[in-house]
Amino acid sequence: MKLLSLLIEILIILGITIKYIEAERHNKKQKQRNVTTQISVNKIKQFLSYILERRKLVKVINKRENLLEKKKNQHKLRIKGIRNKGISKRNKNYLKKQSKKNFTAEGEQLFKMGIKILQQSKGQRQKAQAYIFFAKAADLGNLKAMEKMADALLFGNFGMQNITAAIQLYELLAKEGSYKAQNALGFLSSYGIGMEYNQAKALIYYTFGSAGGSMMSQMILGYRYLSGINVLQNCEVALYYYKKVADYIADKLEKSEGIPVEKVRLTERPENLSSNSEILDWDIYQYYKFLAERGDVQIQVSLGQLHLIGRKGLDQDYYKALYYFLKAAKAGSANAMAFIGKMYLEGNDAAPQNNATAFKYFSMAANKGNAIGLHGLGLLYFYGKGVPVNYGEALKYFQKAAEKGWPNAQFQLGFMYYSGSGVWKDYKLAFKYFYLASQSGQPLAIYYLAEMYATGAGVLRSCRTAVELYKGVCELGHWAEKFLTAYFAYKDGDIDSSLVQYALLAEMGYEVAQSNSAFILESKKAKIIEKEKMYPMALLLWNRAAIQGNALARVKIGDYHYYGYGTKKDYQTAVTHYNIAAHKYQSAQAMFNLAYMYEHGLGTAKDIHLARRLYDMAAQTSPDAHIPVFFALMKLETMHLLQDILLFNFTMRWKWIKLDDTLGQYWDLFAMGLIIAMLIYLLKNRYR
């Protein structure tokens, strides 16, 4: 049996080696033809199918070997006794442990090589090469590599989406205790993607994932307890989960400012989507580069900022950032000088950490009255970087920068009063500065405001306010990068990949992702969810987005109840949602829809005057509504006039018929005589 298992192993290894050699040859040929990353993807798929097949085969072999060993051991017991068995067992266990150790070390090394390539690479082709290392490491039983491969299969990285294979890997990983796998299985169960739709099961998976340390699971549970989704609404439990994640994010933010992620709304018009303000169009970027090279200082600083933190869909590139900042600084830009100081203070590949250089550039900017430069000098004195710690000097510079409206300086002042660093603790002043900074979206200021509301320090304790603030901080986590990959997948026509990514973010409580997922589902272009389930799921997501303040989502819920999409037709419910959108969010579309329903008496009492008023309000609210409102009012007035004419004719005819039947055909002569008699009587009374 051992010989048989060995032969099977050799055949497998030979088979995969031949496949790998063939793939290498094919790769060389394709390189000559300038093909893209499809080669790497095919390799990954081969490795993945091999992993799954091999694991099944190894299980069978191990089972047979165990049976054989059991029989041999029984035979040895009868012949040699227990002592000899104990010696052979110890030797065997030692060899097994040594072999497993080598196996694990090799897998870990391959995984680290993959991570290194992934971090250093910029192009998709290089990133695809990293997944070949992950596939090899996964083959050697490396759980982290298997998680990477499962994620790639679920989200469709490099066009290799295979949800069935992803679920198989996740189930295998879940048995090994992977919290990431628990979270993924919970997500798939909650949407019914590739698995049975089961919210109870999803909740169990999320609970185990959270207990294992999955911050995504903790965010999902926080959002569920906040909104009462399949659990009893409980603010304190939501606070517990959100605070755990927010503490981690705040710790990361204190070391660096973090990268804000652009969240594109797919619900915008198609012509706007192609040139969305959140993503910089390539042609516009090229035009900006041209202007920067021509000496436009403002554009140079803007491009430097975009490359410094990797915004608007551009890759983070410290060398390009420094290049543009230096050009602008030579032209006398105080902002550019301050940003160069910031780069040297934090340190990176292009500008290694150097406190003296940072102080030089911050001083140059501060001498020009620049708020960023003043804040930079404050940081140097506050933390004692290149200069002795001096809270008095730090306070002075922070105050000057805060007066100029720089939110980071406002936060630093708040922190000094909150922690009592160089000043007396003063929660009221701390709250004031945190609040000012939070209005500009300063994330750490939002975090400390949440801390104050959660503990009641300096303010009246408010669980709901604390949770909302913590939620905002949590949404700055690295997982928000999926907004970009989901958007680009949608733009490239990979609808399923885009939907899975948006749906995961929607599950975590991102309002933009909820409306984007609903938008994709109602288009019925996705293939990973059954068509009859799309409208009900879209309605659920529109509802969650509406609760978070999305006006369009509120209008959509009204539409779904009006037309009966994913639910029964219910005009009264439609009117309720249109009313909320019209009066709370001033939605022109909701006003128009509501006017139509009042005009026709759908779900509410017919009221022509109110319909006219709502049509006029819609036209005043949005210029786009002028033409539709004009035609709607023309139709309303025409129909109203016709109805009045018809009603008048019908009423007069009905009256004539009734009088003929009662008084006879000469009733009019009788009426005229009666009127004359009354006039004579009145005249006589007047002269008396």
Side-chain angles (χ1 to χ4, degrees):
M1 286 300 285
K2 272 191 177 180
L3 184 63
L4 178 65
S5 66
L6 186 63
L7 283 169
I8 291 167
E9 287 283 345
I10 291 165
L11 284 169
I12 291 168
I13 293 163
L14 283 170
I16 197 64
T17 306
I18 291 162
K19 283 181 184 178
Y20 185 72
I21 291 164
E22 286 175 358
E24 283 292 327
R25 286 175 184 170
H26 183 63
N27 190 14
K28 284 177 185 177
K29 287 177 185 177
Q30 292 285 51
K31 274 181 183 176
Q32 291 168 2
R33 296 174 195 170
N34 296 321
V35 286
T36 58
T37 59
Q38 192 59 40
I39 310 161
S40 301
V41 173
N42 290 336
K43 282 187 191 178
I44 295 164
K45 285 179 179 176
Q46 286 174 2
F47 272 112
L48 186 70
S49 59
Y50 163 65
I51 291 163
L52 294 171
E53 286 172 14
R54 186 180 173 205
R55 286 198 168 276
K56 288 177 184 175
L57 208 60
V58 166
K59 279 183 182 179
V60 173
I61 292 165
N62 286 341
K63 195 175 179 182
R64 288 178 181 175
E65 280 189 353
N66 288 337
L67 286 169
L68 184 66
E69 286 299 320
K70 194 176 179 181
K71 287 179 181 178
K72 281 187 176 181
N73 288 336
Q74 287 173 355
H75 183 67
K76 283 177 183 178
L77 279 171
R78 283 196 297 270
I79 297 169
K80 296 181 180 179
I82 299 167
R83 188 179 174 185
N84 290 340
K85 179 202 166 187
I87 294 164
S88 63
K89 193 173 181 181
R90 281 197 298 273
N91 290 335
K92 190 179 176 183
N93 286 342
Y94 174 75
L95 290 170
K96 274 186 178 180
K97 282 178 183 176
Q98 197 66 27
S99 176
K100 192 176 180 181
K101 191 178 178 181
N102 295 336
F103 206 65
T104 306
E106 190 181 348
E108 187 64 26
Q109 190 178 359
L110 286 166
F111 174 73
K112 284 178 180 177
M113 286 171 70
I115 289 291
K116 190 177 179 181
I117 292 169
L118 203 62
Q119 288 173 343
Q120 293 176 350
S121 60
K122 292 179 182 177
Q124 292 294 308
R125 190 171 185 174
Q126 289 174 314
K127 287 178 181 178
Q129 289 291 331
Y131 278 86
I132 293 174
F133 284 100
F134 292 146
K136 289 177 180 178
D139 179 37
L140 294 170
N142 187 283
L143 295 180
K144 290 177 184 176
M146 288 172 74
E147 285 173 349
K148 285 281 184 187
M149 293 304 299
D151 287 345
L153 288 166
L154 176 61
F155 299 118
N157 297 355
F158 316 109
M160 54 185 283
Q161 191 173 40
N162 186 331
I163 290 170
T164 306
I167 290 168
Q168 288 178 7
L169 277 174
Y170 281 133
E171 286 176 341
L172 184 69
L173 287 162
K175 288 176 183 175
E176 297 292 330
S178 167
Y179 62 80
K180 289 183 180 179
Q182 298 279 4
N183 180 73
L185 291 170
F187 158 66
L188 293 167
S189 297
S190 69
Y191 280 89
I193 299 173
M195 297 178 72
E196 182 191 359
Y197 176 81
N198 191 326
Q199 288 292 339
K201 205 171 182 181
L203 191 61
I204 292 167
Y205 278 126
Y206 288 144
T207 305
F208 278 112
S210 171
S214 168
M215 281 181 287
M216 284 188 177
S217 290
Q218 287 163 3
M219 265 188 81
I220 290 166
L221 287 172
Y223 177 65
R224 288 195 167 213
Y225 278 102
L226 175 65
S227 307
I229 300 170
N230 300 111
V231 291
L232 288 172
Q233 197 169 14
N234 191 322
C235 184
E236 294 298 333
V237 177
L239 181 70
Y240 166 77
Y241 284 116
Y242 272 125
K243 180 171 167 50
K244 285 180 80 171
V245 183
D247 287 345
Y248 170 81
I249 301 296
D251 184 57
K252 291 283 182 187
L253 289 170
E254 281 174 355
K255 293 170 185 174
S256 64
E257 285 187 14
I259 301 172
V261 177
E262 285 71 30
K263 300 169 186 175
V264 180
R265 289 189 183 275
L266 302 181
T267 49
E268 290 185 1
R269 291 182 175 183
E271 61 267 26
N272 294 337
L273 189 62
S274 59
S275 59
N276 195 283
S277 60
E278 296 289 342
I279 304 295
L280 192 64
D281 188 79
W282 182 250
D283 293 330
I284 296 171
Y285 172 64
Q286 293 300 320
Y287 177 62
Y288 284 165
K289 279 178 71 177
F290 169 74
L291 291 176
E293 294 300 328
R294 291 286 298 270
D296 191 317
V297 175
Q298 191 176 349
I299 295 293
Q300 288 168 352
V301 175
S302 297
L303 284 176
Q305 285 180 272
L306 292 175
H307 282 297
L308 179 62
I309 54 178
R311 289 200 65 184
K312 300 284 183 183
L314 296 178
D315 289 328
Q316 191 176 42
D317 192 322
Y318 294 121
Y319 290 99
K320 284 183 181 178
L322 186 61
Y323 169 76
Y324 286 118
F325 285 143
L326 285 169
K327 283 179 80 72
K330 282 178 185 176
S333 170
N335 276 337
M337 294 169 189
F339 279 116
I340 294 169
K342 181 179 182 296
M343 289 182 75
Y344 279 105
L345 175 64
E346 293 175 356
N348 54 63
D349 294 337
Q353 207 284 327
N354 190 314
N355 291 326
T357 309
F359 185 86
K360 171 191 164 185
Y361 279 103
F362 280 141
S363 297
M364 288 166 65
N367 290 336
K368 289 176 175 279
N370 182 268
I372 307 170
L374 290 164
H375 170 252
L377 287 175
L379 286 175
L380 292 173
Y381 281 108
F382 186 80
Y383 292 107
K385 293 193 172 184
V387 291
V389 173
N390 189 326
Y391 290 127
E393 283 292 297
L395 184 68
K396 181 181 78 175
Y397 284 118
F398 288 148
Q399 282 175 337
K400 286 181 180 179
E403 284 168 9
K404 292 178 180 289
W406 186 239
N408 289 353
Q410 291 166 346
F411 160 71
Q412 286 297 152
L413 279 175
F415 181 74
M416 287 183 80
Y417 284 111
Y418 180 81
S419 60
S421 303
V423 291
W424 291 104
K425 272 190 182 183
D426 190 330
Y427 287 132
K428 285 185 179 179
L429 275 174
F431 180 84
K432 172 193 167 183
Y433 286 114
F434 285 150
Y435 181 78
L436 282 171
S438 71
Q439 295 305 293
S440 302
Q442 216 286 343
L444 283 171
I446 296 168
Y447 171 77
Y448 279 101
L449 276 179
E451 289 280 282
M452 293 180 83
Y453 276 110
T455 57
V459 290
L460 187 66
R461 188 180 186 275
S462 172
C463 176
R464 182 81 190 188
T465 307
V467 168
E468 292 290 348
L469 291 167
Y470 277 137
K471 182 176 182 287
V473 176
C474 293
E475 290 181 357
L476 296 170
H478 62 84
W479 39 79
E481 291 171 6
K482 289 196 182 297
F483 271 106
L484 279 178
T485 53
Y487 169 70
F488 287 124
Y490 181 82
K491 239 186 140 184
D492 294 339
D494 193 349
I495 304 299
D496 286 340
S497 173
S498 179
L499 176 59
V500 169
Q501 293 178 77
Y502 277 133
L504 176 60
L505 293 167
E507 188 77 351
M508 294 169 73
Y510 288 89
E511 177 271 308
V512 176
Q514 289 167 349
S515 58
N516 285 355
S517 300
F519 177 78
I520 293 171
L521 284 167
E522 75 174 16
S523 70
K524 293 198 170 182
K525 291 179 182 177
K527 296 173 185 174
I528 54 173
I529 294 180
E530 296 168 20
K531 286 196 174 181
E532 61 270 15
K533 292 179 181 178
M534 287 188 182
Y535 275 136
M537 186 64 71
L539 178 59
L540 179 72
L541 289 164
W542 284 128
N543 192 55
R544 290 180 186 177
I547 291 167
Q548 296 199 70
N550 187 315
L552 176 65
R554 187 65 68 181
V555 175
K556 284 284 187 181
I557 297 167
D559 291 344
Y560 275 50
H561 283 96
Y562 180 86
Y563 294 108
Y565 293 157
T567 184
K568 290 180 181 178
K569 278 188 180 183
D570 188 340
Y571 292 140
Q572 287 184 340
T573 306
V575 167
T576 302
H577 288 289
Y578 289 146
N579 256 316
I580 294 168
H583 296 108
K584 189 176 179 181
Y585 303 111
Q586 301 301 306
S587 166
Q589 183 65 61
M591 291 171 188
F592 187 91
N593 294 355
L594 201 56
Y596 181 86
M597 298 190 83
Y598 274 112
E599 180 187 346
H600 296 279
L602 300 171
T604 185
K606 193 171 183 178
D607 192 329
I608 299 298
H609 299 294
L610 189 53
R612 282 197 193 99
R613 185 181 164 214
L614 284 163
Y615 279 134
D616 289 336
M617 284 172 66
Q620 289 168 10
T621 304
S622 171
D624 294 339
H626 283 305
I627 294 172
V629 165
F630 172 74
F631 284 113
L633 283 170
M634 274 189 66
K635 189 201 89 171
L636 185 148
E637 297 300 342
T638 305
M639 293 301 295
H640 189 52
L641 181 64
L642 288 170
Q643 283 173 2
D644 283 350
I645 293 166
L646 290 169
L647 182 64
F648 177 77
N649 288 337
F650 174 77
T651 306
M652 292 306 296
R653 191 176 175 188
W654 179 80
K655 286 177 180 176
W656 278 51
I657 291 165
K658 193 156 186 179
L659 287 167
D660 282 340
D661 292 338
T662 309
L663 304 172
Q665 69 183 89
Y666 301 110
W667 66 270
D668 51 337
L669 295 173
F670 175 80
M672 287 171 67
L674 186 63
I675 291 165
I676 292 165
M678 286 177 69
L679 284 168
I680 293 166
Y681 176 76
L682 289 169
L683 286 168
K684 280 182 180 181
N685 285 337
R686 185 181 176 186
Y687 288 112
R688 283 180 186 177

